[in-house]
Amino acid sequence: MSEDSTDANAKSETPSLIINNKTNGHQDSSTLLPNGETTVSKQGEAKEEQTADSTSQSGVLWKELTSAKDVFQVTTKIPHQPYEIQIMVSTQEQVQDLRQFIMESPGTFQYSCFHLEHKGERINDHVELSEVNGFAAGSGLKLVEDPYTEKEARMHLIRIRDIIGAAGNRVDTLHGISAGLSLHDTISPWKDPAAPSAPTDKSVNASPSGAPHALADYTLDAPPSMRTFIPTGQEQPPKTIKSLGVSAWNPPPPFLRQQGHLLYLQLTTNEGEQYQITSHISGFFVNKSSNSKFDPFPRPPPKNAAAHSLFSLISILSQSFSKSFDTLLEANNKRDPLVNFQLTNAIPSSPWLVAPTATSLSSHQPDLTRTQETFLLSGVENTETLRDWNEEIQSTRELPRETVQDRVFRERLISKIFAEFNEAAARGAMMVARGEVAPLNPTESKDAQIFVYNNVFYSFGADGVGTFTSEGGDEAARVAVGKDVGGVKAVNQLDIAGLATPGTIIVDYLGKRLVAQSIVPGIFKQREPEEHQVDYGGVEGRDVVAENEAFVPTFSQVSRALKVKKHPVWDNEGKKHVLEGSVETKGLLGTDGRKYILDLYRLTPLDITWLEEHCKDGDEPNVESQSCNYPHRMTTLRPELVEAYWRLKMGEYVQEKVKRRKTSSKRDGPAAITNGTGESQVNGMENINGEHQTETDQSSEPKDKTAEQSPEADHVDISAFSLTLNPDVFCGQVPQTDEEKEEWANDEREVRAVCAYLHESVIPEMIQDLKDGEVGFPMDGQSLSGLMHRRGVNLRYLGKLATLTEIDDARLRALKALTVQEMVARAFKHVAHRYLKHLPMAFTTNCLCHLLNCLLGTGLNESPKAEIDDDLRDFYRDADYSFVNVAPQSLRGEMETQVQIRYQYMLDDAWTQDIRHIQLLRNIALKLGLQLTARDYHFTSERQTNAEPSKSEANGVASGSVNHSETNGHPHGNANGKKKKKNGGRTSPVTNGADTLSKQSTFSPEDIANIVPIIKDACPKSVLAEETLEAGKISMMQNQKEIGQELLLESLTLHEQIYGILHPEVARVYHQLAMLYYQLDEKSAAIELAHKAVIISERTLGIDSNETILSYLNLALFEHGDRNTAVALACVRHALELWKFIYGTKHPDSITTLNNAAVMLQQLQFYPESRQWFETSLAISEEVSGKQSVNTATLLFQLAQALVLDQDHKGAVHRMREAYSIFLSKLGPNDPNTKESDKWLEQLTQNAVSMAKHAKDVHARRLRRVVFNPRVTTMGARPQPQVGQSNSDMARVRDLSSSGSNSFDSRSIDELVKIIEGGGDISKSSPGKKRTTRSNPKRRGGAGVVGAQA
């Protein structure tokens, strides 16, 4: 594929038409495009006033991004009604963008085959508007219809079928059932932003059962409802026609093709009329053919009908079409546009629970044209979709990158090509795993077989040829291919010119791991006997080493960036070779002249501490004979750990330089850290240290001081600093000379120092941060893994994490339970993979169902039996059916062995009794790609009720925080009682009758509706978008709000343009910007962005992912801040229900959510319910933080105020006295919190006494009232802490907001009593005095209540 054609494809792919509107007080231009992309282009010039040094780079980048955006309106004439349209355009756009806008706009989407003319001259579709001669403001364009080709006719048919809703339900064999599902519109119905809507704080029918508010009938300790995952209230869209597809007379015979016939179609209208249609080069017309007679020429008048567009022809033929099509558009407009857009550049999430097959949501409808889509997309020869993936990837990466526009265009195309390769490679990998592709070497063993399909090369992640025999065999090979993808992604992220990497993904499917790569030209070439198969690095393991000076410049750039040391290695003859990377890393000169880097699984050194402790045998580890030995030696350190260690040493180096300079001379003057070239390290040392503090240990004094370097600090030249690690130490290399041995010993000491840093600093500090509430607490195994990886901790340390958390602390007990659950799920995954690896696909559901019954269903059936079709079994005589012999006891033994050897942890004898069934089932399903039928699974022989805490606990739905209704924010009672009925009152299409207990086992093979592949890709992130985002954050931190907002908006634009709007990175940017706008008191903007963040998170990360839950909780906060409290409570309810699935109840960070819910109920004047939610939050806080903690005291303070509103003055005095007592003992008598609670206690006591004295005459009572403002925020809802985010992160964000903008309430006793007596308004809060001091957020509750972060 040539560079020009690549360029043309990219320009035609992503439109970015600009339409003016006013958003959030800024003059933006944005339009939502049908392919799921949004562009937001900022108008105006860059500000002249730039701050000096620290923001100069931000200013330059902003100027470059926002300059020369010439936007104006043009008039375009079209052949049919409305004959003329107005379009806002930018001269930086391509003509192709205009074409796309016309094709997707209402009223003109019938056009697909046309060109545009300007002053009578045809415009090239692939040029920018600025290149069109004479094109300026006031110019006019003309749309001219073109003759069709066969390909254009096929694309037109597909497009019209999609537009009119005739495409039916496509079966997605790759992504599975309900891929990319969003429940947003079910929870928070979408409203057009242009439509006016008045916010309300009054009660709205927001509850599924018609209760006054969404939480009125919600039971926190009830088991999670599987119906949560099923969309409710969705009506089937109206049918505009009965069918439209290719006719049986297709294709045209040769003599008619010469006359312009392209396709023959068949249309059946809603009136029941059937028409045979000819697709001609001039358009479409009704012919004289029937089902039995072939006559493809036009009908005579008056039954003749013809049009250039198939849409227009259908409008002529069917009287009901226009009306039903308008109804279809109205139905689509009731949903958020993002819900309907197709994902293009991201893998859609596949929910692990799907609607039963008997429901309308998953019913399979007949559609003959569905079988014809392959022909329509690929042509008769099926050649139009065949692509040279490697050439496309490499030519895309070689596009120019000089200007910002070049970089945007290049990175957008890179994202697109990687997404398309990933999808094509994954589809092929599924076919290989199912045995549908013939191997190139059928005589080899199965593990050694290789495949080529759709120009993608496939191999198994197993040691088929003995490469990893000394490292651990198949186990080592499986790990190596996973690390290789990570290495390829790291090199792709570096984006080094002149260095190529093949497209690479790994796919785990049906127990097999497959590696899919684009075919490197020359990799299969048979070289001369004296030539090596590779040109640089180890040829045959470490025995033969090749050197090539041509690879040194590019490999050295990789080594510098990844902290890899240039070092010598020795071949089997003792000859010395100096390599830039690991001996395992190879360089290949392709026949296309490009330099390829391959086998990137060892970019970091081995974790020698782990190996020496847990893999003592130098030979191949043997799981059977050495039950304590780790199964392989591929235990490399994580790149994040190497980076953190580098930052640590850099900080020490800088501090040493500063200290030495201060002692040797007394020079003054402004300066900063430099890199030896005179450039300020704006994105270097200071930024790096800042990130390290927020994400890792925060405890190193040198780093803290370094991060606080000010313009008045000394210049420090860091060009002399160097820290690199040798990845080949402890790998069998034998130095020859004494000098080499000494250097090698130094390299080994450095690696041991990194390992010691991991064991002595990183892991203990991570545990301490989680214990102290310094970071958001993980919700599930996925978020725990992400937190560990960000800290540089490998998952093999899960066992050590569990061991170190075996102390009497509530937060650490929760962490241990989560850690053990993750180890159990991973052990089950490894066991399942072993049974599935050599099992035919027809038996996979039987195998998985039996294994799940042995693990989770023993409470219902102690001895489950595997279901297997003996007749079908006879067809596969050589398959491995050993799973039928698995019993619960043997499975537990296998899993205990896996946990012991992989994590060096001994499970407790009673670990099966502590299983949280629902949460573990979800974890296993996500790891194996299972899609289960959404029904109530019974894990015990009796129905679980809330009156049986032990069973409820065992399912991860422990009874909330208290056991009696007086102290719980939710109605308690039997799950089968009245409240249970209310809770289940949602209308749902789930009508599966499998809820009865007549089944002998918990799971049946029919419950596994589908299995989807687990994909790990190597697609890099956008450097430009990340740079702009970081520049915006730096500007905001330095109080340059205006330029910071501009850069953040520009970053959002870049993310949308490069990734497409439906992408996880875009969701994260939306989330960050929503938080920022909320802190800046721009609530409408925050709400709009938060809604988008929720939808995109649901569709790309999962409807129950931890990021989606956080997005819902923060959306609730923003809606509440905008007085849409009813909607906010609906979001809170949904988030709490999802929380049950992924964790259960009593999550340490749920205190914040329950507190916010209480605040919202107070806002709606539901005082009794609000009080009960406060009490629930308090009960969890007492368990998690302790009864005498400051965290609990703060909640007692809030509860006392809630009791006043609920007219329980005696209880309020009691709770305030408890709060005062804790503040006094923990903080001392002089602490502001102690003084504040003392004042409140005094006034509450006086008010209680006064009210008791004058109870008979309420109107005549006189109260001494003293007005003051509490230092503890009484009514403020808080953002939910993100997993792994530190308090200092949130503190910086909070400081961006103006004074008081984040405070909801700060009321005195006077106002509370007025509210009670009916003289006050709950929605109005007094401004109060500005707080001049602030207590330490670490001491004020951390991530729990007061110090909650976003």
Side-chain angles (χ1 to χ4, degrees):
M1 183 176 183
S2 67
E3 186 171 316
D4 291 339
S5 62
T6 303
D7 196 65
N9 283 343
K11 291 183 178 180
S12 64
E13 185 64 27
T14 308
S16 57
L17 189 91
I18 298 175
I19 298 179
N20 282 342
N21 64 7
K22 271 282 197 183
T23 307
N24 315 329
H26 302 287
Q27 182 65 38
D28 297 347
S29 36
S30 74
T31 180
L32 208 51
L33 301 170
N35 66 344
E37 299 191 2
T38 295
T39 59
V40 182
S41 300
K42 190 71 185 176
Q43 306 303 310
E45 305 268 62
K47 300 295 180 184
E48 291 299 328
E49 53 271 36
Q50 300 290 333
T51 57
D53 306 329
S54 61
T55 56
S56 59
Q57 289 191 359
S58 301
V60 170
L61 180 59
W62 178 49
K63 281 188 175 182
E64 191 174 3
L65 286 167
T66 58
S67 62
K69 293 200 172 180
D70 195 4
V71 180
F72 51 85
Q73 184 171 283
V74 297
T75 301
T76 303
K77 295 182 179 180
I78 56 178
H80 309 290
Q81 288 185 347
Y83 301 111
E84 196 174 89
I85 57 174
Q86 305 293 325
I87 307 175
M88 291 296 293
V89 298
S90 167
T91 55
Q92 293 181 348
E93 295 176 297
Q94 280 91 34
V95 177
Q96 183 67 32
D97 298 340
L98 287 182
R99 285 180 52 88
Q100 187 72 19
F101 173 74
I102 292 170
M103 291 168 61
E104 305 294 352
S105 296
T108 56
F109 46 63
Q110 67 266 32
Y111 301 105
S112 66
C113 186
F114 62 91
H115 69 268
L116 296 172
E117 292 183 355
H118 178 244
K119 296 181 179 179
E121 294 185 7
R122 179 169 182 156
I123 304 175
N124 190 320
D125 289 343
H126 304 298
V127 301
E128 287 190 359
L129 291 174
S130 58
E131 300 176 31
V132 178
N133 187 28
F135 188 77
S139 296
L141 298 175
K142 183 180 180 182
L143 185 150
V144 180
E145 295 174 334
D146 283 340
Y148 287 94
T149 63
E150 187 203 336
K151 179 178 180 180
E152 288 171 335
R154 286 189 276 110
M155 295 301 107
H156 184 78
L157 172 61
I158 293 174
R159 188 166 170 277
I160 294 300
R161 276 172 49 86
D162 284 335
I163 289 175
I164 66 177
N169 55 322
R170 292 188 175 94
V171 178
D172 192 338
T173 56
L174 172 62
H175 303 305
I177 305 168
S178 301
L181 175 68
S182 172
L183 301 176
H184 170 271
D185 287 353
T186 304
I187 310 305
S188 174
W190 181 73
K191 297 180 181 178
D192 190 335
S197 60
T200 177
D201 270 349
K202 300 303 177 184
S203 60
V204 180
N205 183 14
S207 171
S209 59
H213 56 82
L215 297 178
D217 57 352
Y218 184 69
T219 308
L220 184 65
D221 56 355
S225 171
M226 297 294 182
R227 295 176 176 84
T228 304
F229 284 75
I230 309 302
T232 58
Q234 289 190 359
E235 300 177 356
Q236 289 292 329
K239 293 183 70 68
T240 56
I241 59 172
K242 288 188 176 180
S243 67
L244 173 63
V246 178
S247 166
W249 297 112
N250 199 69
F255 73 95
L256 290 175
R257 185 175 293 277
Q258 295 178 13
Q259 299 181 32
H261 291 210
L262 303 175
L263 298 171
Y264 297 131
L265 311 177
Q266 182 172 300
L267 166 70
T268 304
T269 64
N270 282 343
E271 292 86 359
E273 296 288 334
Q274 187 179 94
Y275 296 93
Q276 298 284 340
I277 298 173
T278 297
S279 172
H280 192 263
I281 55 175
S282 62
F284 299 83
F285 59 81
V286 178
N287 62 39
K288 295 184 284 186
S289 296
S290 66
N291 289 334
S292 58
K293 185 185 77 169
F294 179 62
D295 188 356
F297 296 99
R299 281 186 179 182
K303 294 184 178 181
N304 62 328
H308 187 268
S309 169
L310 188 57
F311 181 90
S312 302
L313 181 62
I314 297 173
S315 301
I316 297 171
L317 297 176
S318 173
Q319 295 180 353
S320 65
F321 174 75
S322 296
K323 183 177 180 180
S324 59
F325 182 69
D326 290 340
T327 306
L328 175 65
L329 290 180
E330 290 177 6
N332 289 338
N333 289 336
K334 291 179 181 178
R335 307 185 68 194
D336 192 296
L338 293 179
V339 175
N340 296 322
F341 286 163
Q342 185 176 356
L343 280 83
T344 54
N345 286 9
I347 299 172
S349 68
S350 302
W352 67 279
L353 285 176
V354 296
T357 54
T359 65
S360 60
L361 290 174
S362 59
S363 59
H364 195 57
Q365 301 296 330
D367 182 11
L368 184 62
T369 313
R370 186 168 54 223
T371 64
Q372 304 167 347
E373 283 194 345
T374 302
F375 154 71
L376 294 173
L377 290 169
S378 306
V380 177
E381 304 297 330
N382 197 30
T383 57
E384 294 177 16
T385 56
L386 286 179
R387 301 166 66 174
D388 186 343
W389 293 109
N390 190 75
E391 181 61 29
E392 287 193 44
I393 290 171
Q394 308 312 331
S395 60
T396 301
R397 297 185 58 173
E398 292 166 358
L399 290 172
R401 58 180 98 178
E402 282 73 25
T403 66
V404 170
Q405 292 302 320
D406 286 342
R407 293 177 67 186
V408 171
F409 174 68
R410 176 177 175 272
E411 291 186 1
R412 182 173 70 181
L413 188 54
I414 287 175
S415 177
K416 171 181 173 291
I417 190 67
F418 270 103
E420 292 172 350
F421 169 77
N422 294 344
E423 180 168 346
R427 292 186 187 278
M430 294 175 66
M431 295 182 66
V432 171
R434 293 195 298 257
E436 298 174 14
V437 179
L440 298 181
N441 53 343
T443 58
E444 302 282 346
S445 65
K446 285 191 175 181
D447 286 344
Q449 289 178 349
I450 57 176
F451 309 81
V452 172
Y453 180 79
N454 195 14
N455 284 336
V456 180
F457 173 71
Y458 297 94
S459 60
F460 289 105
D463 191 23
V465 294
T467 305
F468 296 95
T469 301
S470 62
E471 305 291 337
D474 287 347
E475 286 283 355
R478 184 182 183 90
V479 173
V481 296
K483 293 185 180 298
D484 180 45
V485 172
V488 172
K489 186 170 187 175
V491 173
N492 285 343
Q493 194 65 49
L494 296 177
D495 203 11
I496 297 171
L499 186 64
T501 57
T504 308
I505 68 167
I506 58 172
V507 178
D508 289 325
Y509 184 60
L510 302 180
K512 305 172 183 67
R513 170 163 286 190
L514 289 116
V515 186
Q517 295 176 303
S518 61
I519 301 174
V520 176
I523 197 169
F524 295 127
K525 178 184 176 182
Q526 293 296 324
R527 303 200 180 190
E528 297 298 326
E530 65 275 6
E531 289 184 317
H532 298 309
Q533 283 298 111
V534 297
D535 299 289
Y536 190 80
V539 180
E540 300 171 4
R542 309 183 189 99
D543 295 337
V544 181
V545 181
E547 290 185 82
N548 189 327
E549 288 299 320
F551 284 85
V552 172
T554 51
F555 272 53
S556 63
Q557 295 182 59
V558 175
S559 299
R560 282 196 300 271
L562 300 178
K563 317 295 186 296
V564 177
K565 182 178 182 179
K566 182 177 182 179
H567 62 280
V569 296
W570 296 267
D571 58 23
N572 57 354
E573 298 177 356
K575 184 180 178 181
K576 178 181 176 180
H577 305 268
V578 179
L579 298 179
E580 288 288 345
S582 168
V583 68
E584 310 288 355
T585 303
K586 300 172 178 59
L588 176 68
L589 187 62
T591 54
D592 56 359
R594 298 185 177 100
K595 300 181 185 69
Y596 290 87
I597 184 169
L598 308 171
D599 293 350
L600 295 164
Y601 53 81
R602 187 166 284 170
L603 294 175
T604 55
L606 293 177
D607 184 354
I608 187 60
T609 304
W610 178 274
L611 279 180
E612 290 178 344
E613 186 175 351
H614 304 300
C615 196
K616 301 176 180 63
D617 190 1
D619 298 327
E620 178 185 354
N622 189 306
V623 175
E624 287 77 11
S625 63
Q626 301 176 24
S627 60
C628 292
N629 255 14
Y630 197 63
H632 61 82
R633 293 180 59 87
M634 295 296 297
T635 57
T636 57
L637 298 171
R638 287 199 62 83
E640 295 90 342
L641 177 68
V642 175
E643 185 70 20
Y645 185 74
W646 182 88
R647 292 169 182 166
L648 175 70
K649 291 301 180 183
M650 166 69 87
E652 294 175 356
Y653 173 84
V654 170
Q655 291 302 313
E656 181 63 28
K657 282 281 188 181
V658 172
K659 183 178 178 181
R660 191 179 305 169
R661 181 169 299 178
K662 287 182 177 179
T663 57
S664 61
S665 63
K666 297 181 179 180
R667 291 178 296 178
D668 299 319
I673 300 172
T674 64
N675 57 12
T677 61
E679 297 177 359
S680 175
Q681 285 283 92
V682 174
N683 290 317
M685 185 59 211
E686 291 184 293
N687 188 31
I688 287 174
N689 275 329
E691 291 176 356
H692 187 43
Q693 286 176 13
T694 61
E695 190 46 55
T696 55
D697 55 303
Q698 301 183 352
S699 61
S700 173
E701 286 299 320
K703 287 180 295 177
D704 288 352
K705 294 176 182 178
T706 304
E708 294 170 3
Q709 289 285 344
S710 65
E712 290 75 19
D714 291 327
H715 270 293
V716 177
D717 183 0
I718 62 170
S719 60
F721 175 77
S722 175
L723 187 148
T724 53
L725 301 175
N726 184 345
D728 286 325
V729 294
F730 308 113
C731 292
Q733 292 291 332
V734 182
Q736 303 297 312
T737 67
D738 291 340
E739 183 181 351
E740 291 169 353
K741 291 178 181 178
E742 182 180 355
E743 180 185 0
W744 204 259
N746 290 333
D747 291 346
E748 290 181 348
R749 278 193 293 272
E750 195 68 62
V751 171
R752 288 186 184 277
V754 180
C755 296
Y757 173 63
L758 170 65
H759 286 262
E760 297 169 8
S761 297
V762 176
I763 295 177
E765 287 168 2
M766 180 178 69
I767 294 174
Q768 190 63 39
D769 285 348
L770 289 169
K771 178 184 178 183
D772 296 341
E774 293 301 301
V775 296
F777 200 86
M779 294 185 184
D780 59 354
Q782 188 178 27
S783 55
L784 175 63
S785 303
L787 173 62
M788 293 176 66
H789 284 166
R790 287 194 298 273
R791 295 291 184 106
V793 183
N794 302 84
L795 290 181
R796 59 177 171 268
Y797 285 102
L798 281 169
K800 181 168 185 175
L801 210 62
T803 302
L804 294 176
T805 53
E806 292 176 345
I807 59 177
D808 190 18
D809 179 84
R811 290 180 70 90
L812 292 188
R813 282 198 304 271
L815 179 61
K816 181 187 174 182
L818 198 58
T819 305
V820 171
Q821 177 180 289
E822 180 68 7
M823 289 190 288
V824 168
R826 290 179 175 272
F828 182 91
K829 178 188 73 171
H830 288 292
V831 172
H833 280 170
R834 184 165 64 82
Y835 288 115
L836 290 172
K837 187 174 182 180
H838 302 295
L839 192 66
M841 184 180 177
F843 300 101
T844 54
T845 55
N846 303 77
C847 174
L848 290 167
C849 165
H850 180 59
L851 294 178
L852 287 173
N853 280 326
C854 288
L855 176 64
L856 299 174
T858 53
L860 184 62
N861 185 347
E862 294 181 356
S863 303
K865 302 295 181 183
E867 299 180 28
I868 191 167
D869 189 336
D870 291 331
D871 294 334
L872 196 60
R873 183 174 179 171
D874 293 337
F875 282 99
Y876 302 94
R877 297 184 182 275
D878 58 343
D880 179 9
Y881 299 102
S882 57
F883 75 89
V884 299
N885 301 320
V886 175
Q889 193 63 35
S890 63
L891 177 64
R892 286 196 291 268
E894 287 186 76
M895 293 176 62
E896 288 169 1
T897 301
Q898 289 290 329
V899 171
Q900 184 178 357
I901 65 172
R902 294 182 184 278
Y903 308 109
Q904 301 300 311
Y905 183 77
M906 291 290 293
L907 288 172
D908 186 82
D909 292 338
W911 67 270
T912 54
Q913 300 176 12
D914 299 328
I915 286 178
R916 297 179 175 184
H917 292 82
I918 294 293
Q919 290 73 29
L920 183 58
L921 176 62
R922 172 185 178 271
N923 204 345
I924 290 171
L926 293 178
K927 285 177 169 51
L928 293 175
L930 306 184
Q931 291 192 292
L932 303 173
T933 300
R935 67 174 183 84
D936 292 331
Y937 292 98
H938 302 286
F939 303 101
T940 58
S941 57
E942 300 177 3
R943 285 189 176 272
Q944 297 169 17
T945 65
N946 293 339
E948 298 175 306
S950 59
K951 293 179 182 177
S952 203
E953 283 274 9
N955 286 286
V957 286
S959 59
S961 47
V962 284
N963 294 323
H964 48 91
S965 58
E966 282 187 357
T967 56
N968 194 339
H970 328 282
H972 283 112
N974 192 299
N976 295 318
K978 182 178 180 181
K979 296 301 180 183
K980 178 65 179 179
K981 291 180 181 178
K982 283 189 177 182
N983 193 38
R986 299 172 61 182
T987 58
S988 171
V990 181
T991 57
N992 194 309
D995 287 348
T996 64
L997 291 177
S998 60
K999 300 183 66 174
Q1000 294 299 314
S1001 300
T1002 302
F1003 302 95
S1004 67
E1006 293 76 22
D1007 289 329
I1008 303 176
N1010 189 37
I1011 303 176
V1012 296
I1014 307 299
I1015 302 169
K1016 183 178 181 182
D1017 63 58
C1019 184
K1021 293 183 180 180
S1022 166
V1023 177
L1024 179 62
E1026 293 293 326
E1027 285 177 353
T1028 314
L1029 181 62
E1030 287 304 314
K1033 288 180 179 178
I1034 292 172
S1035 298
M1036 297 300 294
M1037 289 166 57
Q1038 295 170 343
N1039 208 28
Q1040 303 295 325
K1041 293 185 179 180
E1042 191 165 354
I1043 188 174
Q1045 284 184 267
E1046 299 290 346
L1047 283 166
L1048 290 172
L1049 281 174
E1050 203 62 54
S1051 171
L1052 177 59
T1053 303
L1054 292 172
H1055 275 85
E1056 292 170 340
Q1057 287 181 337
I1058 291 167
Y1059 294 116
I1061 194 171
L1062 296 175
H1063 194 279
E1065 294 299 321
V1066 178
R1068 294 178 182 117
V1069 173
Y1070 276 141
H1071 183 85
Q1072 293 180 49
L1073 288 183
M1075 284 301 307
L1076 176 67
Y1077 277 122
Y1078 181 71
Q1079 299 297 339
L1080 295 176
D1081 208 27
E1082 296 192 25
K1083 294 175 183 176
S1084 59
I1087 291 172
E1088 183 180 350
L1089 291 171
H1091 278 285
K1092 291 182 178 181
V1094 165
I1095 297 172
I1096 301 171
S1097 295
E1098 284 185 322
R1099 300 196 64 194
T1100 60
L1101 298 170
I1103 56 177
D1104 63 341
S1105 73
N1106 64 88
E1107 292 188 51
T1108 300
I1109 293 176
L1110 290 172
S1111 295
Y1112 265 114
L1113 293 174
N1114 282 331
L1115 173 61
L1117 174 68
F1118 304 156
E1119 290 282 10
H1120 169 65
D1122 201 38
R1123 300 185 63 188
N1124 295 321
T1125 306
V1127 175
L1129 288 173
C1131 294
V1132 169
R1133 176 186 177 124
H1134 182 65
L1136 288 173
E1137 191 66 20
L1138 292 178
W1139 217 329
K1140 290 182 184 179
F1141 279 99
I1142 74 171
Y1143 181 86
T1145 56
K1146 296 194 198 177
H1147 187 276
D1149 287 347
S1150 65
I1151 301 170
T1152 305
T1153 302
L1154 301 178
N1155 219 46
N1156 289 348
V1159 170
M1160 295 172 190
L1161 289 169
Q1162 222 168 49
Q1163 194 80 1
L1164 293 176
Q1165 301 184 25
F1166 292 106
Y1167 302 132
E1169 294 92 333
S1170 172
R1171 160 190 174 171
Q1172 292 167 352
W1173 279 77
F1174 272 126
E1175 288 170 339
T1176 304
S1177 176
L1178 172 63
I1180 297 178
S1181 178
E1182 288 178 343
E1183 180 175 338
V1184 172
S1185 304
K1187 293 188 177 182
Q1188 296 300 312
S1189 67
V1190 177
N1191 208 2
T1192 301
T1194 307
L1195 280 171
L1196 286 166
F1197 192 107
Q1198 291 181 289
L1199 176 58
Q1201 296 172 326
L1203 292 172
V1204 172
L1205 291 171
D1206 198 28
Q1207 301 187 28
D1208 184 357
H1209 305 286
K1210 183 178 179 181
V1213 172
H1214 175 65
R1215 293 300 191 180
M1216 189 60 72
R1217 184 177 293 113
E1218 291 183 27
Y1220 170 71
S1221 175
I1222 297 173
F1223 282 139
L1224 182 63
S1225 62
K1226 293 292 183 180
L1227 305 179
N1230 297 322
D1231 187 85
N1233 297 310
T1234 309
K1235 295 179 179 179
E1236 202 74 67
S1237 57
D1238 186 24
K1239 292 181 181 178
W1240 273 85
L1241 179 59
E1242 178 185 354
Q1243 291 305 306
L1244 287 174
T1245 304
Q1246 292 180 8
N1247 288 337
V1249 171
S1250 298
M1251 288 185 177
K1253 288 181 179 179
H1254 302 279
K1256 296 181 180 180
D1257 188 10
V1258 175
H1259 296 287
R1261 61 189 169 179
R1262 296 291 182 267
L1263 302 178
R1264 272 184 67 199
R1265 296 170 183 174
V1266 180
V1267 179
F1268 56 87
N1269 291 317
R1271 292 192 179 274
V1272 181
T1273 305
T1274 62
M1275 300 290 288
R1278 301 167 184 82
Q1280 187 68 26
Q1282 281 192 356
V1283 175
Q1285 186 179 22
S1286 66
N1287 280 334
S1288 56
D1289 279 338
M1290 186 54 196
R1292 283 203 298 269
V1293 176
R1294 281 198 300 261
D1295 290 341
L1296 297 177
S1297 60
S1298 57
S1299 174
S1301 64
N1302 194 29
S1303 176
F1304 283 92
D1305 240 313
S1306 184
R1307 287 172 291 189
S1308 65
I1309 295 291
D1310 274 347
E1311 294 168 295
L1312 293 176
V1313 175
K1314 282 183 180 179
I1315 293 167
I1316 297 167
E1317 295 174 350
D1321 186 355
I1322 187 67
S1323 64
K1324 296 179 182 179
S1325 60
S1326 63
K1329 296 185 293 184
K1330 182 178 179 181
R1331 291 171 56 178
T1332 57
T1333 61
R1334 190 175 196 163
S1335 60
N1336 185 353
K1338 298 180 183 179
R1339 301 176 62 190
R1340 290 284 306 280
V1345 180
V1346 176
Q1349 323 87 14

